Each structure stands twice: as structure tokens, then as C-alpha cells.
Amino acid sequence: MRSSITTASEALQAALRTDAWFGACAPSLQEALLRLGRAGQLAAGERLFTRGASAEGLCCVTAGALRVGSLQPDGSETLLGYVEPYQWFGEISLLDGLPRTHDAVADGDTTVWQVPQTELRAWLDANPAHWQDVARLACAKLRIAFTMLEDIAHLPLEQRLAKRLWWVAHGNGTRPDAPRRQLRLPQEQLALMLGVSRQSANKALRALEDKGVLKLRYGAIELVDVATLARAAGLA
């Protein structure tokens, strides 16, 4: 990753505060994350980190997107998540100090705000009450993971797909009141996220399109009505 700016502009600070987790943090923690962090640029396909790499701190995508998953021994890819602006990640290794759990690869040109592990842990140790904020970030993702595991066991693919699209549109809970209507999410990646074949994912997408929930675009999905999507997902 190539470093660029070393301070957060006012526009970036305002954008970061649109994230539900960051926006709920105390001003002192927000200031520390902005002051200690730096921006870096990734080219398409470039890795931010790999599975098993040493922890390097807390990160936030500020432009572009990251595919988070792992490469299997047979060459196939497992895709667990798609990280977009302004979602924070890396809290697991920040909390336990152990290596990264997955690979993070840039999906197109991407900018990441990275807060170094050593400096951030030192600040948190000096301000221990804010470790709870880091735990809050981890717990929010753990709740989503538990829900998805339950969905795999009980929900039909079409409903699971609608629910995953709803989560992506809402930034995995980071944008509760401002869902996106245009999702830059190719069907191949969506299939990987769901653990199904591309053909199965396409069939479920076509079924949702026939119901007026969405429209399929080249390399993207347009949500026609988020309320209808929520009903298809069983969330309303």
C-alpha cells in the first residue's frame, strides 16, 4: 500500500462520521483515530493484508472497496464480505494481537485509512474506557455473523439473497437510515458470499427481479424499493 496524505481533511472527517460506529464514538476517540491514522492507496487486485499476516491496526475504506475472504488450497476463493466506505475493520487483531484472519484485496482503485496497531493500542491503554468502543465494533459484526449462520440453516436461497443485499445496502448496519440503491456487486462475488454457484445466485436474482425488488445491471444491482427488499428478506 502506498501512503499518501497523512492528515484527514474536514470533508473526510465529516464522511467518516456518517458511519454508525464511528459517529457514536466519543470525540476524543474520533480525534485519536484521525490524528494517528494515515491514508494509503491500493491498485485493483492489490492486497491490503493476507491471512496470517501480523496485525497492523484498525482500518477504514474511504474510497473504492475491499473483498475480504481467503484463497483455498484448490485455488478457489471464499468471499466473506465486501467492505465499502466508510466501514471500519481490523478490530479482531487489534483486540487479541493475533494475525489477520483473512485476506483483504482491493476491488478497483481503493483508499484505506489505517491507524497503526502500536500507536492505537498505546492510546487505548492510556484511555482504557475506549476499549469498550472497539469491543462494540466487534460485537456488531459478531451479531451479523450469528444471524447469517442461522439463515444458512433455515432460509431458502432467495430470502438469504434478499437479506444479504439488504445488509450490503445498509453497509452491514453502518448506514441504517441511508441505504444505497446501486450496489456494485458482480454476481460472481455475490455467489461466493452466499456459498452457492453463480447459476443458483442468478436464478434467485432473476426471481427477485420478476417480483420488482431489483433490476440487474452490468456488474451491479439496482434496488428498486428498499422496503420491498426488506419484506422479501423477512425483515419487515
PDB file of all heavy atoms in Angstrom, residues 1 6 17 22 33 44 59-60 62 67 88 97 105 110 120 133 164 185 188 192 202 216 220 224:
ATOM      1  N   MET A   1       0.849  -1.193   0.000  1.00  0.00           N
ATOM      2  CA  MET A   1       0.000   0.000   0.000  1.00  0.00           C
ATOM      3  C   MET A   1       0.879   1.234   0.000  1.00  0.00           C
ATOM      4  O   MET A   1       1.825   1.338   0.768  1.00  0.00           O
ATOM      5  CB  MET A   1      -0.925   0.005   1.220  1.00  0.00           C
ATOM      6  CG  MET A   1      -1.891   1.185   1.249  1.00  0.00           C
ATOM      7  SD  MET A   1      -3.141   1.073   2.542  1.00  0.00           S
ATOM      8  CE  MET A   1      -2.152   1.307   4.004  1.00  0.00           C
ATOM      9  N   THR A   6      -1.355  12.441   5.115  1.00  0.00           N
ATOM     10  CA  THR A   6      -1.113  11.995   6.487  1.00  0.00           C
ATOM     11  C   THR A   6      -2.098  12.609   7.470  1.00  0.00           C
ATOM     12  O   THR A   6      -2.082  12.271   8.638  1.00  0.00           O
ATOM     13  CB  THR A   6       0.321  12.359   6.919  1.00  0.00           C
ATOM     14  OG1 THR A   6       0.516  13.763   6.768  1.00  0.00           O
ATOM     15  CG2 THR A   6       1.330  11.620   6.070  1.00  0.00           C
ATOM     16  N   ARG A  17     -17.836  10.346   9.922  1.00  0.00           N
ATOM     17  CA  ARG A  17     -18.850  10.426  10.981  1.00  0.00           C
ATOM     18  C   ARG A  17     -20.223   9.949  10.518  1.00  0.00           C
ATOM     19  O   ARG A  17     -21.135   9.817  11.338  1.00  0.00           O
ATOM     20  CB  ARG A  17     -18.921  11.858  11.518  1.00  0.00           C
ATOM     21  CG  ARG A  17     -17.661  12.259  12.288  1.00  0.00           C
ATOM     22  CD  ARG A  17     -17.790  13.606  12.991  1.00  0.00           C
ATOM     23  NE  ARG A  17     -16.573  13.924  13.721  1.00  0.00           N
ATOM     24  CZ  ARG A  17     -15.644  14.791  13.315  1.00  0.00           C
ATOM     25  NH1 ARG A  17     -15.818  15.454  12.167  1.00  0.00           N
ATOM     26  NH2 ARG A  17     -14.552  15.003  14.022  1.00  0.00           N
ATOM     27  N   PHE A  22     -18.403   4.842  14.126  1.00  0.00           N
ATOM     28  CA  PHE A  22     -17.518   5.980  14.347  1.00  0.00           C
ATOM     29  C   PHE A  22     -18.299   7.170  14.895  1.00  0.00           C
ATOM     30  O   PHE A  22     -17.833   7.865  15.806  1.00  0.00           O
ATOM     31  CB  PHE A  22     -16.822   6.349  13.037  1.00  0.00           C
ATOM     32  CG  PHE A  22     -15.781   7.426  13.185  1.00  0.00           C
ATOM     33  CD1 PHE A  22     -14.495   7.126  13.579  1.00  0.00           C
ATOM     34  CD2 PHE A  22     -16.091   8.750  12.907  1.00  0.00           C
ATOM     35  CE1 PHE A  22     -13.520   8.119  13.709  1.00  0.00           C
ATOM     36  CE2 PHE A  22     -15.137   9.752  13.034  1.00  0.00           C
ATOM     37  CZ  PHE A  22     -13.850   9.436  13.441  1.00  0.00           C
ATOM     38  N   LEU A  33      -8.286   8.557  16.294  1.00  0.00           N
ATOM     39  CA  LEU A  33      -8.279   7.768  15.061  1.00  0.00           C
ATOM     40  C   LEU A  33      -7.916   8.626  13.854  1.00  0.00           C
ATOM     41  O   LEU A  33      -7.240   8.159  12.930  1.00  0.00           O
ATOM     42  CB  LEU A  33      -9.658   7.124  14.849  1.00  0.00           C
ATOM     43  CG  LEU A  33     -10.052   6.048  15.871  1.00  0.00           C
ATOM     44  CD1 LEU A  33     -11.495   5.613  15.650  1.00  0.00           C
ATOM     45  CD2 LEU A  33      -9.123   4.845  15.771  1.00  0.00           C
ATOM     46  N   ALA A  44      -6.153  -1.953  -8.136  1.00  0.00           N
ATOM     47  CA  ALA A  44      -7.063  -3.092  -8.278  1.00  0.00           C
ATOM     48  C   ALA A  44      -6.289  -4.401  -8.146  1.00  0.00           C
ATOM     49  O   ALA A  44      -5.246  -4.596  -8.769  1.00  0.00           O
ATOM     50  CB  ALA A  44      -7.764  -3.027  -9.626  1.00  0.00           C
ATOM     51  N   CYS A  59      -8.603  -0.216  10.398  1.00  0.00           N
ATOM     52  CA  CYS A  59      -8.672   0.352   9.057  1.00  0.00           C
ATOM     53  C   CYS A  59     -10.095   0.776   8.707  1.00  0.00           C
ATOM     54  O   CYS A  59     -11.060   0.281   9.276  1.00  0.00           O
ATOM     55  CB  CYS A  59      -8.197  -0.669   8.021  1.00  0.00           C
ATOM     56  SG  CYS A  59      -6.551  -1.330   8.292  1.00  0.00           S
ATOM     57  N   CYS A  60     -10.178   1.667   7.726  1.00  0.00           N
ATOM     58  CA  CYS A  60     -11.467   2.118   7.212  1.00  0.00           C
ATOM     59  C   CYS A  60     -11.319   2.420   5.726  1.00  0.00           C
ATOM     60  O   CYS A  60     -10.418   3.174   5.338  1.00  0.00           O
ATOM     61  CB  CYS A  60     -11.945   3.366   7.958  1.00  0.00           C
ATOM     62  SG  CYS A  60     -13.531   4.013   7.358  1.00  0.00           S
ATOM     63  N   THR A  62     -12.108   4.408   2.587  1.00  0.00           N
ATOM     64  CA  THR A  62     -12.650   5.749   2.336  1.00  0.00           C
ATOM     65  C   THR A  62     -12.996   5.977   0.871  1.00  0.00           C
ATOM     66  O   THR A  62     -13.661   6.951   0.530  1.00  0.00           O
ATOM     67  CB  THR A  62     -11.654   6.836   2.795  1.00  0.00           C
ATOM     68  OG1 THR A  62     -10.412   6.665   2.106  1.00  0.00           O
ATOM     69  CG2 THR A  62     -11.412   6.741   4.301  1.00  0.00           C
ATOM     70  N   ARG A  67     -12.453  -6.744  -1.051  1.00  0.00           N
ATOM     71  CA  ARG A  67     -13.028  -8.080  -0.926  1.00  0.00           C
ATOM     72  C   ARG A  67     -12.313  -8.769   0.237  1.00  0.00           C
ATOM     73  O   ARG A  67     -11.079  -8.857   0.252  1.00  0.00           O
ATOM     74  CB  ARG A  67     -12.840  -8.895  -2.202  1.00  0.00           C
ATOM     75  CG  ARG A  67     -13.460  -8.271  -3.437  1.00  0.00           C
ATOM     76  CD  ARG A  67     -13.484  -9.269  -4.608  1.00  0.00           C
ATOM     77  NE  ARG A  67     -12.187  -9.864  -4.857  1.00  0.00           N
ATOM     78  CZ  ARG A  67     -11.252  -9.340  -5.640  1.00  0.00           C
ATOM     79  NH1 ARG A  67     -11.475  -8.168  -6.249  1.00  0.00           N
ATOM     80  NH2 ARG A  67     -10.096  -9.950  -5.834  1.00  0.00           N
ATOM     81  N   TRP A  88     -15.376   0.383   9.107  1.00  0.00           N
ATOM     82  CA  TRP A  88     -14.144   0.111   9.846  1.00  0.00           C
ATOM     83  C   TRP A  88     -13.980  -1.387  10.044  1.00  0.00           C
ATOM     84  O   TRP A  88     -14.961  -2.121  10.197  1.00  0.00           O
ATOM     85  CB  TRP A  88     -14.180   0.800  11.212  1.00  0.00           C
ATOM     86  CG  TRP A  88     -14.075   2.293  11.120  1.00  0.00           C
ATOM     87  CD1 TRP A  88     -15.091   3.170  10.884  1.00  0.00           C
ATOM     88  CD2 TRP A  88     -12.882   3.078  11.252  1.00  0.00           C
ATOM     89  NE1 TRP A  88     -14.608   4.458  10.856  1.00  0.00           N
ATOM     90  CE2 TRP A  88     -13.257   4.433  11.080  1.00  0.00           C
ATOM     91  CE3 TRP A  88     -11.550   2.775  11.504  1.00  0.00           C
ATOM     92  CZ2 TRP A  88     -12.339   5.479  11.146  1.00  0.00           C
ATOM     93  CZ3 TRP A  88     -10.630   3.813  11.581  1.00  0.00           C
ATOM     94  CH2 TRP A  88     -11.032   5.139  11.400  1.00  0.00           C
ATOM     95  N   GLY A  97      -4.380  -9.212  19.307  1.00  0.00           N
ATOM     96  CA  GLY A  97      -2.982  -9.140  18.906  1.00  0.00           C
ATOM     97  C   GLY A  97      -2.525 -10.286  18.028  1.00  0.00           C
ATOM     98  O   GLY A  97      -1.328 -10.378  17.703  1.00  0.00           O
ATOM     99  N   VAL A 105      -8.440  -7.693  -0.300  1.00  0.00           N
ATOM    100  CA  VAL A 105      -7.940  -7.367  -1.637  1.00  0.00           C
ATOM    101  C   VAL A 105      -8.755  -6.222  -2.227  1.00  0.00           C
ATOM    102  O   VAL A 105      -9.992  -6.220  -2.141  1.00  0.00           O
ATOM    103  CB  VAL A 105      -8.022  -8.597  -2.558  1.00  0.00           C
ATOM    104  CG1 VAL A 105      -7.453  -8.276  -3.941  1.00  0.00           C
ATOM    105  CG2 VAL A 105      -7.291  -9.781  -1.939  1.00  0.00           C
ATOM    106  N   THR A 110      -8.542   1.735  -4.630  1.00  0.00           N
ATOM    107  CA  THR A 110      -9.137   1.849  -3.292  1.00  0.00           C
ATOM    108  C   THR A 110      -8.236   2.666  -2.373  1.00  0.00           C
ATOM    109  O   THR A 110      -7.012   2.571  -2.442  1.00  0.00           O
ATOM    110  CB  THR A 110      -9.358   0.446  -2.694  1.00  0.00           C
ATOM    111  OG1 THR A 110     -10.260  -0.287  -3.540  1.00  0.00           O
ATOM    112  CG2 THR A 110      -9.940   0.517  -1.290  1.00  0.00           C
ATOM    113  N   LEU A 120      -2.139   2.965  18.267  1.00  0.00           N
ATOM    114  CA  LEU A 120      -3.523   2.925  18.727  1.00  0.00           C
ATOM    115  C   LEU A 120      -3.649   2.163  20.037  1.00  0.00           C
ATOM    116  O   LEU A 120      -4.369   2.591  20.954  1.00  0.00           O
ATOM    117  CB  LEU A 120      -4.414   2.299  17.653  1.00  0.00           C
ATOM    118  CG  LEU A 120      -5.909   2.220  17.979  1.00  0.00           C
ATOM    119  CD1 LEU A 120      -6.464   3.585  18.376  1.00  0.00           C
ATOM    120  CD2 LEU A 120      -6.688   1.650  16.800  1.00  0.00           C
ATOM    121  N   ASP A 133     -15.394   0.686  23.079  1.00  0.00           N
ATOM    122  CA  ASP A 133     -15.849   1.057  21.747  1.00  0.00           C
ATOM    123  C   ASP A 133     -15.341   0.070  20.701  1.00  0.00           C
ATOM    124  O   ASP A 133     -16.056  -0.268  19.752  1.00  0.00           O
ATOM    125  CB  ASP A 133     -15.369   2.472  21.404  1.00  0.00           C
ATOM    126  CG  ASP A 133     -16.074   3.534  22.226  1.00  0.00           C
ATOM    127  OD1 ASP A 133     -17.287   3.697  22.058  1.00  0.00           O
ATOM    128  OD2 ASP A 133     -15.399   4.182  23.041  1.00  0.00           O
ATOM    129  N   ARG A 164     -28.995 -10.628   2.347  1.00  0.00           N
ATOM    130  CA  ARG A 164     -27.610 -10.190   2.158  1.00  0.00           C
ATOM    131  C   ARG A 164     -27.564  -8.861   1.404  1.00  0.00           C
ATOM    132  O   ARG A 164     -26.778  -7.976   1.734  1.00  0.00           O
ATOM    133  CB  ARG A 164     -26.819 -11.263   1.417  1.00  0.00           C
ATOM    134  CG  ARG A 164     -25.361 -10.915   1.144  1.00  0.00           C
ATOM    135  CD  ARG A 164     -24.593 -10.589   2.428  1.00  0.00           C
ATOM    136  NE  ARG A 164     -24.405 -11.711   3.280  1.00  0.00           N
ATOM    137  CZ  ARG A 164     -23.313 -12.479   3.312  1.00  0.00           C
ATOM    138  NH1 ARG A 164     -22.311 -12.220   2.501  1.00  0.00           N
ATOM    139  NH2 ARG A 164     -23.216 -13.478   4.159  1.00  0.00           N
ATOM    140  N   LEU A 185     -21.877  -4.898  -7.192  1.00  0.00           N
ATOM    141  CA  LEU A 185     -21.621  -6.234  -6.677  1.00  0.00           C
ATOM    142  C   LEU A 185     -21.866  -7.265  -7.778  1.00  0.00           C
ATOM    143  O   LEU A 185     -22.998  -7.679  -8.006  1.00  0.00           O
ATOM    144  CB  LEU A 185     -22.538  -6.504  -5.478  1.00  0.00           C
ATOM    145  CG  LEU A 185     -22.263  -7.731  -4.622  1.00  0.00           C
ATOM    146  CD1 LEU A 185     -20.875  -7.636  -4.000  1.00  0.00           C
ATOM    147  CD2 LEU A 185     -23.306  -7.867  -3.533  1.00  0.00           C
ATOM    148  N   GLU A 188     -20.788 -13.001  -9.570  1.00  0.00           N
ATOM    149  CA  GLU A 188     -19.788 -13.978  -9.136  1.00  0.00           C
ATOM    150  C   GLU A 188     -19.413 -13.771  -7.672  1.00  0.00           C
ATOM    151  O   GLU A 188     -19.293 -14.735  -6.903  1.00  0.00           O
ATOM    152  CB  GLU A 188     -18.528 -13.880 -10.004  1.00  0.00           C
ATOM    153  CG  GLU A 188     -18.710 -14.286 -11.455  1.00  0.00           C
ATOM    154  CD  GLU A 188     -19.233 -13.139 -12.320  1.00  0.00           C
ATOM    155  OE1 GLU A 188     -19.573 -12.067 -11.756  1.00  0.00           O
ATOM    156  OE2 GLU A 188     -19.301 -13.312 -13.538  1.00  0.00           O
ATOM    157  N   LEU A 192     -20.180 -16.110  -4.282  1.00  0.00           N
ATOM    158  CA  LEU A 192     -19.145 -16.507  -3.341  1.00  0.00           C
ATOM    159  C   LEU A 192     -19.534 -16.155  -1.909  1.00  0.00           C
ATOM    160  O   LEU A 192     -19.294 -16.930  -0.974  1.00  0.00           O
ATOM    161  CB  LEU A 192     -17.821 -15.814  -3.698  1.00  0.00           C
ATOM    162  CG  LEU A 192     -17.073 -16.345  -4.923  1.00  0.00           C
ATOM    163  CD1 LEU A 192     -15.915 -15.420  -5.272  1.00  0.00           C
ATOM    164  CD2 LEU A 192     -16.564 -17.759  -4.678  1.00  0.00           C
ATOM    165  N   ASN A 202     -27.822 -16.421  -9.774  1.00  0.00           N
ATOM    166  CA  ASN A 202     -28.515 -15.733 -10.871  1.00  0.00           C
ATOM    167  C   ASN A 202     -29.994 -16.082 -10.892  1.00  0.00           C
ATOM    168  O   ASN A 202     -30.848 -15.208 -11.121  1.00  0.00           O
ATOM    169  CB  ASN A 202     -27.862 -16.099 -12.198  1.00  0.00           C
ATOM    170  CG  ASN A 202     -28.534 -15.420 -13.371  1.00  0.00           C
ATOM    171  OD1 ASN A 202     -29.371 -16.020 -14.054  1.00  0.00           O
ATOM    172  ND2 ASN A 202     -28.188 -14.166 -13.624  1.00  0.00           N
ATOM    173  N   LEU A 216     -31.278  -5.951 -12.545  1.00  0.00           N
ATOM    174  CA  LEU A 216     -29.905  -6.367 -12.776  1.00  0.00           C
ATOM    175  C   LEU A 216     -29.260  -5.477 -13.815  1.00  0.00           C
ATOM    176  O   LEU A 216     -29.808  -5.256 -14.894  1.00  0.00           O
ATOM    177  CB  LEU A 216     -29.864  -7.828 -13.230  1.00  0.00           C
ATOM    178  CG  LEU A 216     -30.399  -8.853 -12.218  1.00  0.00           C
ATOM    179  CD1 LEU A 216     -30.359 -10.248 -12.812  1.00  0.00           C
ATOM    180  CD2 LEU A 216     -29.601  -8.799 -10.915  1.00  0.00           C
ATOM    181  N   ALA A 220     -23.583  -4.767 -11.569  1.00  0.00           N
ATOM    182  CA  ALA A 220     -24.215  -4.040 -10.456  1.00  0.00           C
ATOM    183  C   ALA A 220     -25.667  -4.498 -10.294  1.00  0.00           C
ATOM    184  O   ALA A 220     -26.236  -5.168 -11.162  1.00  0.00           O
ATOM    185  CB  ALA A 220     -24.163  -2.541 -10.696  1.00  0.00           C
ATOM    186  N   VAL A 224     -34.841  -1.467  -6.478  1.00  0.00           N
ATOM    187  CA  VAL A 224     -35.983  -0.660  -6.905  1.00  0.00           C
ATOM    188  C   VAL A 224     -36.685  -0.044  -5.706  1.00  0.00           C
ATOM    189  O   VAL A 224     -37.059   1.125  -5.706  1.00  0.00           O
ATOM    190  CB  VAL A 224     -36.969  -1.513  -7.731  1.00  0.00           C
ATOM    191  CG1 VAL A 224     -38.199  -0.699  -8.105  1.00  0.00           C
ATOM    192  CG2 VAL A 224     -36.286  -2.049  -8.983  1.00  0.00           C
TER     193      VAL A 224
END
